Amino acid sequence: MFKKTIFSKKKKYISWIKANIKKKQTNLEITIRIVKESSMKYLNYKYRNKNKVTNILSFPSTTNKIIKSHFIGDLVICGTIIKKEAQMKKQTIESHWAHVVIHGTLHLLGYNHKNLKNFKKMKDLEIKAMVSLGYCNPYIKY
C-alpha cells in the first residue's frame, strides 16, 4: 500500500492527514501515491502545464459531490524531491514529508494559496497542524 521509507508507516500518514480534518470528517478517504521524478514531471506537465518536477500534486475528487462518497482525492508525492528539499531547508526528512502531506491535504479540503489572504490562512493551518504533531514551524529558517 505505501512504499517503504525510513519512517513510512501508515500511522504517520494518517496522523498528518488527520491534523487537518475536523472530528466530524474522520471517515474521509485519500489515496497517496509515491512516484519517481520522471512520473511527477509528466503529471505536472499533463495537469498543470508545468514542465518541471514538483514535490506534491493534489487531485481533489469530484465524485463525492455527485455520489455519497468519503473519497476526497489523491495526493501524488515525489519522495526524491522531498528528500532534496529537506536537505536544502535543513529540516528532517520526516518533518518535510509531514508538511507536504498536510499541505496537500489542505488542497483536497478546498484550501488554496492563489492570493495573499488564502496563502496566510493555509500557512496558519499548516503551522498549527505541524506544531500539534510535535514538528517545528516549517516556515522558520534555522
Side-chain angles (χ1 to χ4, degrees):
M1 178 177 262
F2 293 102
K3 183 178 176 181
K4 284 191 173 190
T5 62
I6 312 168
F7 58 88
S8 167
K9 302 284 185 220
K10 186 176 177 181
K11 287 181 182 180
K12 289 274 186 191
Y13 287 95
I14 291 170
S15 70
W16 300 335
I17 290 166
K18 282 186 173 182
N20 291 307
I21 296 175
K22 295 176 179 75
K23 292 194 188 302
K24 64 182 179 177
Q25 300 173 308
T26 55
N27 57 351
L28 298 180
E29 297 173 17
I30 294 174
T31 299
I32 296 176
R33 182 174 168 211
I34 315 292
V35 299
K36 295 179 181 180
E37 288 185 45
S38 57
S39 296
M40 183 59 94
K41 185 176 180 181
Y42 168 78
L43 291 169
N44 200 22
Y45 182 73
K46 182 174 180 176
Y47 293 101
R48 297 179 65 225
N49 203 29
K50 295 187 178 189
N51 194 22
K52 63 181 182 175
V53 71
T54 187
N55 56 13
I56 189 167
L57 290 170
S58 301
F59 296 97
S61 170
T62 55
T63 59
N64 62 345
K65 293 177 179 108
I66 299 167
I67 60 172
K68 301 271 182 179
S69 171
H70 300 288
F71 178 68
I72 63 169
D74 300 297
L75 296 178
V76 181
I77 305 168
C78 184
T80 55
I81 295 299
I82 301 290
K83 184 177 179 179
K84 289 176 187 177
E85 289 176 346
Q87 291 169 341
M88 185 180 70
K89 295 178 179 192
K90 295 182 172 63
Q91 296 175 339
T92 67
I93 295 170
E94 181 177 331
S95 176
H96 194 51
W97 269 92
H99 181 219
V100 168
V101 170
I102 288 166
H103 181 87
T105 303
L106 285 169
H107 279 303
L108 295 181
L109 293 170
Y111 293 91
N112 67 64
H113 40 80
K114 293 180 181 176
N115 61 48
L116 187 58
K117 181 181 176 186
N118 291 347
F119 171 78
K120 286 181 179 179
K121 176 67 175 170
M122 200 165 167
K123 180 179 170 182
D124 289 346
L125 290 169
E126 290 171 24
I127 293 167
K128 182 179 176 185
M130 290 289 288
V131 170
S132 76
L133 293 168
Y135 298 106
C136 294
N137 177 339
Y139 292 98
I140 294 177
K141 294 185 180 14
Y142 295 96

